[in-house]
Amino acid sequence: MGRVVVDVMPKPEILDPQGKAVAGALPRLGFGQFTNVRQGKRFELEVEGDVTPDVLAAAQEAAETVLSNPVIEDVVRVADIEADAAATAGSTTAASTGPAL
């Protein structure tokens, strides 16, 4: 079974009240190094079998027509979760790892 991840974010010119609320809370909680937050949506789509280029193309089409509102949102990523994880596994550093939540 394969899985595809789709990330959707508000367009830069669209107000993001949830992101703004998080950005305001972070410094109060000791995370002052972050200056802006944009909150988006993540979808995980499961498919029978492997994730092929045809599956990724169908996921892209679904993302653009069903999973996002193209007037106010951009589809920023459509990827095979397994391939994406394998590509980033070697680039994880001690600074980017933390306790499991």
Side-chain angles (χ1 to χ4, degrees):
M1 181 174 309
R3 290 188 308 156
V4 176
V5 63
V6 175
D7 291 327
V8 177
M9 294 295 294
K11 290 184 181 226
E13 61 273 13
I14 300 298
L15 294 176
D16 180 7
Q18 292 173 321
K20 188 171 183 161
V22 171
L26 286 173
R28 292 191 304 268
L29 297 170
F31 298 100
Q33 66 270 43
F34 304 110
T35 59
N36 191 28
V37 176
R38 301 286 290 172
Q39 183 171 326
K41 300 185 287 191
R42 175 184 169 105
F43 299 91
E44 291 187 7
L45 310 171
E46 288 188 4
V47 296
E48 293 294 329
D50 294 332
V51 176
T52 64
D54 288 341
V55 168
L56 288 174
Q60 181 73 37
E61 184 177 352
E64 292 171 356
T65 59
V66 178
L67 304 178
S68 70
N69 178 344
V71 174
I72 61 170
E73 295 173 320
D74 289 324
V75 176
V76 295
R77 182 171 69 137
V78 175
D80 177 345
I81 290 177
E82 300 301 322
D84 201 41
T88 60
S91 65
T92 303
T93 64
S96 66
T97 61
L101 298 178

